[in-house]
PDB file of all heavy atoms in Angstrom:
ATOM      1  N   TYR A  37      -9.713  20.147  -2.327  1.00 98.00           N
ATOM      2  CA  TYR A  37      -9.360  19.457  -1.083  1.00 98.00           C
ATOM      3  C   TYR A  37      -7.948  18.888  -1.184  1.00 98.00           C
ATOM      4  O   TYR A  37      -7.126  19.069  -0.281  1.00 98.00           O
ATOM      5  CB  TYR A  37     -10.360  18.338  -0.768  1.00 98.00           C
ATOM      6  CG  TYR A  37      -9.969  17.618   0.491  1.00 98.00           C
ATOM      7  CD1 TYR A  37     -10.394  18.072   1.726  1.00 98.00           C
ATOM      8  CD2 TYR A  37      -9.130  16.506   0.445  1.00 98.00           C
ATOM      9  CE1 TYR A  37      -9.994  17.440   2.889  1.00 98.00           C
ATOM     10  CE2 TYR A  37      -8.717  15.876   1.605  1.00 98.00           C
ATOM     11  CZ  TYR A  37      -9.158  16.337   2.831  1.00 98.00           C
ATOM     12  OH  TYR A  37      -8.739  15.721   3.978  1.00 98.00           O
ATOM     13  N   ALA A  38      -7.669  18.196  -2.282  1.00 98.00           N
ATOM     14  CA  ALA A  38      -6.350  17.583  -2.457  1.00 98.00           C
ATOM     15  C   ALA A  38      -5.247  18.638  -2.436  1.00 98.00           C
ATOM     16  O   ALA A  38      -4.208  18.453  -1.797  1.00 98.00           O
ATOM     17  CB  ALA A  38      -6.305  16.790  -3.762  1.00 98.00           C
ATOM     18  N   LEU A  39      -5.471  19.758  -3.118  1.00 98.00           N
ATOM     19  CA  LEU A  39      -4.452  20.810  -3.149  1.00 98.00           C
ATOM     20  C   LEU A  39      -4.194  21.388  -1.760  1.00 98.00           C
ATOM     21  O   LEU A  39      -3.058  21.770  -1.448  1.00 98.00           O
ATOM     22  CB  LEU A  39      -4.866  21.921  -4.112  1.00 98.00           C
ATOM     23  CG  LEU A  39      -4.741  21.567  -5.589  1.00 98.00           C
ATOM     24  CD1 LEU A  39      -5.420  22.616  -6.450  1.00 98.00           C
ATOM     25  CD2 LEU A  39      -3.277  21.412  -5.979  1.00 98.00           C
ATOM     26  N   ASN A  40      -5.212  21.441  -0.926  1.00 98.00           N
ATOM     27  CA  ASN A  40      -5.023  21.940   0.440  1.00 98.00           C
ATOM     28  C   ASN A  40      -4.249  20.961   1.312  1.00 98.00           C
ATOM     29  O   ASN A  40      -3.739  21.348   2.363  1.00 98.00           O
ATOM     30  CB  ASN A  40      -6.364  22.280   1.071  1.00 98.00           C
ATOM     31  CG  ASN A  40      -6.886  23.608   0.591  1.00 98.00           C
ATOM     32  OD1 ASN A  40      -6.139  24.559   0.466  1.00 98.00           O
ATOM     33  ND2 ASN A  40      -8.180  23.668   0.314  1.00 98.00           N
ATOM     34  N   GLN A  41      -4.162  19.700   0.899  1.00 97.00           N
ATOM     35  CA  GLN A  41      -3.426  18.700   1.658  1.00 97.00           C
ATOM     36  C   GLN A  41      -1.969  18.571   1.203  1.00 97.00           C
ATOM     37  O   GLN A  41      -1.160  17.958   1.895  1.00 97.00           O
ATOM     38  CB  GLN A  41      -4.100  17.319   1.515  1.00 97.00           C
ATOM     39  CG  GLN A  41      -5.553  17.292   1.913  1.00 97.00           C
ATOM     40  CD  GLN A  41      -5.786  17.838   3.310  1.00 97.00           C
ATOM     41  OE1 GLN A  41      -5.169  17.382   4.260  1.00 97.00           O
ATOM     42  NE2 GLN A  41      -6.654  18.821   3.425  1.00 97.00           N
ATOM     43  N   LEU A  42      -1.661  19.115   0.044  1.00 96.00           N
ATOM     44  CA  LEU A  42      -0.340  18.936  -0.566  1.00 96.00           C
ATOM     45  C   LEU A  42       0.446  20.251  -0.546  1.00 96.00           C
ATOM     46  O   LEU A  42      -0.145  21.328  -0.612  1.00 96.00           O
ATOM     47  CB  LEU A  42      -0.508  18.469  -2.015  1.00 96.00           C
ATOM     48  CG  LEU A  42      -1.194  17.115  -2.170  1.00 96.00           C
ATOM     49  CD1 LEU A  42      -1.674  16.919  -3.611  1.00 96.00           C
ATOM     50  CD2 LEU A  42      -0.248  15.993  -1.761  1.00 96.00           C
ATOM     51  N   PRO A  43       1.778  20.165  -0.484  1.00 92.00           N
ATOM     52  CA  PRO A  43       2.572  21.399  -0.503  1.00 92.00           C
ATOM     53  C   PRO A  43       2.564  22.025  -1.896  1.00 92.00           C
ATOM     54  O   PRO A  43       2.610  21.310  -2.899  1.00 92.00           O
ATOM     55  CB  PRO A  43       3.977  20.919  -0.131  1.00 92.00           C
ATOM     56  CG  PRO A  43       4.013  19.494  -0.551  1.00 92.00           C
ATOM     57  CD  PRO A  43       2.601  18.970  -0.357  1.00 92.00           C
ATOM     58  N   PRO A  44       2.506  23.348  -1.984  1.00 92.00           N
ATOM     59  CA  PRO A  44       2.552  23.992  -3.296  1.00 92.00           C
ATOM     60  C   PRO A  44       3.948  23.880  -3.901  1.00 92.00           C
ATOM     61  O   PRO A  44       4.941  23.739  -3.180  1.00 92.00           O
ATOM     62  CB  PRO A  44       2.210  25.455  -2.989  1.00 92.00           C
ATOM     63  CG  PRO A  44       2.572  25.627  -1.567  1.00 92.00           C
ATOM     64  CD  PRO A  44       2.370  24.301  -0.896  1.00 92.00           C
ATOM     65  N   LYS A  45       4.004  23.928  -5.216  1.00 87.00           N
ATOM     66  CA  LYS A  45       5.277  23.895  -5.953  1.00 87.00           C
ATOM     67  C   LYS A  45       5.256  25.044  -6.949  1.00 87.00           C
ATOM     68  O   LYS A  45       4.821  24.894  -8.083  1.00 87.00           O
ATOM     69  CB  LYS A  45       5.442  22.568  -6.709  1.00 87.00           C
ATOM     70  CG  LYS A  45       5.379  21.337  -5.856  1.00 87.00           C
ATOM     71  CD  LYS A  45       6.659  21.141  -5.102  1.00 87.00           C
ATOM     72  CE  LYS A  45       6.573  19.813  -4.354  1.00 87.00           C
ATOM     73  NZ  LYS A  45       7.541  19.704  -3.319  1.00 87.00           N
ATOM     74  N   TYR A  46       5.704  26.211  -6.524  1.00 87.00           N
ATOM     75  CA  TYR A  46       5.672  27.397  -7.381  1.00 87.00           C
ATOM     76  C   TYR A  46       6.924  27.482  -8.236  1.00 87.00           C
ATOM     77  O   TYR A  46       8.029  27.207  -7.769  1.00 87.00           O
ATOM     78  CB  TYR A  46       5.545  28.673  -6.544  1.00 87.00           C
ATOM     79  CG  TYR A  46       4.164  28.855  -5.998  1.00 87.00           C
ATOM     80  CD1 TYR A  46       3.851  28.486  -4.702  1.00 87.00           C
ATOM     81  CD2 TYR A  46       3.152  29.372  -6.796  1.00 87.00           C
ATOM     82  CE1 TYR A  46       2.572  28.640  -4.204  1.00 87.00           C
ATOM     83  CE2 TYR A  46       1.875  29.533  -6.307  1.00 87.00           C
ATOM     84  CZ  TYR A  46       1.593  29.162  -5.005  1.00 87.00           C
ATOM     85  OH  TYR A  46       0.321  29.315  -4.516  1.00 87.00           O
ATOM     86  N   VAL A  47       6.720  27.868  -9.484  1.00 85.00           N
ATOM     87  CA  VAL A  47       7.820  28.110 -10.413  1.00 85.00           C
ATOM     88  C   VAL A  47       7.550  29.432 -11.127  1.00 85.00           C
ATOM     89  O   VAL A  47       6.407  29.885 -11.206  1.00 85.00           O
ATOM     90  CB  VAL A  47       7.976  26.968 -11.442  1.00 85.00           C
ATOM     91  CG1 VAL A  47       8.335  25.664 -10.756  1.00 85.00           C
ATOM     92  CG2 VAL A  47       6.717  26.792 -12.260  1.00 85.00           C
ATOM     93  N   ALA A  48       8.622  30.033 -11.663  1.00 86.00           N
ATOM     94  CA  ALA A  48       8.481  31.337 -12.304  1.00 86.00           C
ATOM     95  C   ALA A  48       8.883  31.331 -13.775  1.00 86.00           C
ATOM     96  O   ALA A  48       8.785  32.352 -14.439  1.00 86.00           O
ATOM     97  CB  ALA A  48       9.312  32.376 -11.555  1.00 86.00           C
ATOM     98  N   THR A  49       9.340  30.183 -14.276  1.00 82.00           N
ATOM     99  CA  THR A  49       9.758  30.115 -15.678  1.00 82.00           C
ATOM    100  C   THR A  49       9.203  28.840 -16.312  1.00 82.00           C
ATOM    101  O   THR A  49       8.904  27.869 -15.612  1.00 82.00           O
ATOM    102  CB  THR A  49      11.288  30.083 -15.808  1.00 82.00           C
ATOM    103  OG1 THR A  49      11.781  28.873 -15.205  1.00 82.00           O
ATOM    104  CG2 THR A  49      11.936  31.282 -15.155  1.00 82.00           C
ATOM    105  N   PRO A  50       9.110  28.818 -17.638  1.00 76.00           N
ATOM    106  CA  PRO A  50       8.690  27.582 -18.313  1.00 76.00           C
ATOM    107  C   PRO A  50       9.644  26.417 -18.024  1.00 76.00           C
ATOM    108  O   PRO A  50       9.214  25.277 -17.901  1.00 76.00           O
ATOM    109  CB  PRO A  50       8.715  27.959 -19.795  1.00 76.00           C
ATOM    110  CG  PRO A  50       8.526  29.435 -19.823  1.00 76.00           C
ATOM    111  CD  PRO A  50       9.213  29.938 -18.576  1.00 76.00           C
ATOM    112  N   GLN A  51      10.936  26.719 -17.888  1.00 75.00           N
ATOM    113  CA  GLN A  51      11.896  25.678 -17.556  1.00 75.00           C
ATOM    114  C   GLN A  51      11.617  25.112 -16.163  1.00 75.00           C
ATOM    115  O   GLN A  51      11.790  23.926 -15.918  1.00 75.00           O
ATOM    116  CB  GLN A  51      13.339  26.212 -17.618  1.00 75.00           C
ATOM    117  CG  GLN A  51      13.783  26.628 -18.989  1.00 75.00           C
ATOM    118  CD  GLN A  51      13.359  28.048 -19.364  1.00 75.00           C
ATOM    119  OE1 GLN A  51      12.717  28.770 -18.581  1.00 75.00           O
ATOM    120  NE2 GLN A  51      13.688  28.459 -20.568  1.00 75.00           N
ATOM    121  N   GLY A  52      11.167  25.972 -15.267  1.00 70.00           N
ATOM    122  CA  GLY A  52      10.817  25.529 -13.921  1.00 70.00           C
ATOM    123  C   GLY A  52       9.637  24.585 -13.927  1.00 70.00           C
ATOM    124  O   GLY A  52       9.592  23.631 -13.147  1.00 70.00           O
ATOM    125  N   VAL A  53       8.674  24.826 -14.813  1.00 69.00           N
ATOM    126  CA  VAL A  53       7.522  23.934 -14.936  1.00 69.00           C
ATOM    127  C   VAL A  53       7.991  22.556 -15.357  1.00 69.00           C
ATOM    128  O   VAL A  53       7.609  21.540 -14.760  1.00 69.00           O
ATOM    129  CB  VAL A  53       6.485  24.494 -15.947  1.00 69.00           C
ATOM    130  CG1 VAL A  53       5.400  23.470 -16.218  1.00 69.00           C
ATOM    131  CG2 VAL A  53       5.884  25.786 -15.435  1.00 69.00           C
ATOM    132  N   ILE A  54       8.831  22.511 -16.373  1.00 72.00           N
ATOM    133  CA  ILE A  54       9.324  21.222 -16.881  1.00 72.00           C
ATOM    134  C   ILE A  54      10.141  20.512 -15.813  1.00 72.00           C
ATOM    135  O   ILE A  54       9.948  19.329 -15.544  1.00 72.00           O
ATOM    136  CB  ILE A  54      10.154  21.430 -18.161  1.00 72.00           C
ATOM    137  CG1 ILE A  54       9.250  21.944 -19.282  1.00 72.00           C
ATOM    138  CG2 ILE A  54      10.856  20.140 -18.569  1.00 72.00           C
ATOM    139  CD1 ILE A  54       9.991  22.462 -20.495  1.00 72.00           C
ATOM    140  N   TYR A  55      11.051  21.240 -15.177  1.00 67.00           N
ATOM    141  CA  TYR A  55      11.882  20.642 -14.138  1.00 67.00           C
ATOM    142  C   TYR A  55      11.035  20.123 -12.984  1.00 67.00           C
ATOM    143  O   TYR A  55      11.219  19.004 -12.516  1.00 67.00           O
ATOM    144  CB  TYR A  55      12.905  21.649 -13.614  1.00 67.00           C
ATOM    145  CG  TYR A  55      13.677  21.134 -12.425  1.00 67.00           C
ATOM    146  CD1 TYR A  55      14.702  20.219 -12.592  1.00 67.00           C
ATOM    147  CD2 TYR A  55      13.336  21.528 -11.132  1.00 67.00           C
ATOM    148  CE1 TYR A  55      15.390  19.717 -11.504  1.00 67.00           C
ATOM    149  CE2 TYR A  55      14.019  21.034 -10.032  1.00 67.00           C
ATOM    150  CZ  TYR A  55      15.042  20.136 -10.227  1.00 67.00           C
ATOM    151  OH  TYR A  55      15.711  19.636  -9.143  1.00 67.00           O
ATOM    152  N   SER A  56      10.091  20.929 -12.534  1.00 68.00           N
ATOM    153  CA  SER A  56       9.268  20.553 -11.392  1.00 68.00           C
ATOM    154  C   SER A  56       8.406  19.336 -11.698  1.00 68.00           C
ATOM    155  O   SER A  56       8.275  18.434 -10.877  1.00 68.00           O
ATOM    156  CB  SER A  56       8.394  21.727 -10.960  1.00 68.00           C
ATOM    157  OG  SER A  56       7.710  21.409  -9.779  1.00 68.00           O
ATOM    158  N   LYS A  57       7.812  19.291 -12.885  1.00 67.00           N
ATOM    159  CA  LYS A  57       6.991  18.135 -13.257  1.00 67.00           C
ATOM    160  C   LYS A  57       7.857  16.877 -13.345  1.00 67.00           C
ATOM    161  O   LYS A  57       7.443  15.811 -12.914  1.00 67.00           O
ATOM    162  CB  LYS A  57       6.258  18.380 -14.567  1.00 67.00           C
ATOM    163  CG  LYS A  57       5.053  19.268 -14.415  1.00 67.00           C
ATOM    164  CD  LYS A  57       4.238  19.314 -15.680  1.00 67.00           C
ATOM    165  CE  LYS A  57       2.943  20.064 -15.457  1.00 67.00           C
ATOM    166  NZ  LYS A  57       2.091  20.049 -16.642  1.00 67.00           N
ATOM    167  N   THR A  58       9.055  17.001 -13.895  1.00 68.00           N
ATOM    168  CA  THR A  58       9.957  15.848 -13.990  1.00 68.00           C
ATOM    169  C   THR A  58      10.383  15.393 -12.604  1.00 68.00           C
ATOM    170  O   THR A  58      10.363  14.211 -12.291  1.00 68.00           O
ATOM    171  CB  THR A  58      11.201  16.217 -14.826  1.00 68.00           C
ATOM    172  OG1 THR A  58      10.775  16.636 -16.115  1.00 68.00           O
ATOM    173  CG2 THR A  58      12.139  15.034 -14.961  1.00 68.00           C
ATOM    174  N   TYR A  59      10.749  16.326 -11.750  1.00 67.00           N
ATOM    175  CA  TYR A  59      11.192  16.025 -10.401  1.00 67.00           C
ATOM    176  C   TYR A  59      10.084  15.373  -9.582  1.00 67.00           C
ATOM    177  O   TYR A  59      10.325  14.489  -8.771  1.00 67.00           O
ATOM    178  CB  TYR A  59      11.668  17.304  -9.719  1.00 67.00           C
ATOM    179  CG  TYR A  59      12.065  17.121  -8.282  1.00 67.00           C
ATOM    180  CD1 TYR A  59      13.275  16.540  -7.946  1.00 67.00           C
ATOM    181  CD2 TYR A  59      11.215  17.519  -7.248  1.00 67.00           C
ATOM    182  CE1 TYR A  59      13.645  16.364  -6.628  1.00 67.00           C
ATOM    183  CE2 TYR A  59      11.575  17.356  -5.925  1.00 67.00           C
ATOM    184  CZ  TYR A  59      12.785  16.776  -5.619  1.00 67.00           C
ATOM    185  OH  TYR A  59      13.145  16.598  -4.310  1.00 67.00           O
ATOM    186  N   ASN A  60       8.851  15.786  -9.809  1.00 62.00           N
ATOM    187  CA  ASN A  60       7.733  15.330  -8.987  1.00 62.00           C
ATOM    188  C   ASN A  60       7.062  14.069  -9.515  1.00 62.00           C
ATOM    189  O   ASN A  60       5.978  13.730  -9.075  1.00 62.00           O
ATOM    190  CB  ASN A  60       6.706  16.452  -8.842  1.00 62.00           C
ATOM    191  CG  ASN A  60       7.231  17.558  -7.963  1.00 62.00           C
ATOM    192  OD1 ASN A  60       7.760  17.300  -6.902  1.00 62.00           O
ATOM    193  ND2 ASN A  60       7.107  18.777  -8.417  1.00 62.00           N
ATOM    194  N   LEU A  61       7.682  13.373 -10.439  1.00 63.00           N
ATOM    195  CA  LEU A  61       7.087  12.159 -10.972  1.00 63.00           C
ATOM    196  C   LEU A  61       7.463  10.919 -10.160  1.00 63.00           C
ATOM    197  O   LEU A  61       7.174   9.812 -10.573  1.00 63.00           O
ATOM    198  CB  LEU A  61       7.504  11.969 -12.444  1.00 63.00           C
ATOM    199  CG  LEU A  61       6.904  12.981 -13.407  1.00 63.00           C
ATOM    200  CD1 LEU A  61       7.452  12.743 -14.811  1.00 63.00           C
ATOM    201  CD2 LEU A  61       5.392  12.925 -13.421  1.00 63.00           C
ATOM    202  N   GLY A  62       8.069  11.098  -9.021  1.00 73.00           N
ATOM    203  CA  GLY A  62       8.483   9.971  -8.193  1.00 73.00           C
ATOM    204  C   GLY A  62       7.291   9.197  -7.635  1.00 73.00           C
ATOM    205  O   GLY A  62       6.171   9.714  -7.552  1.00 73.00           O
TER     206      GLY A  62
END
Side-chain angles (χ1 to χ4, degrees):
Y37 179 87
L39 286 169
N40 281 319
Q41 304 306 306
L42 297 164
K45 303 283 185 197
Y46 285 98
V47 297
T49 64
Q51 295 84 1
V53 172
I54 294 168
Y55 173 77
S56 186
K57 282 189 173 184
T58 302
Y59 176 77
N60 289 313
L61 291 177

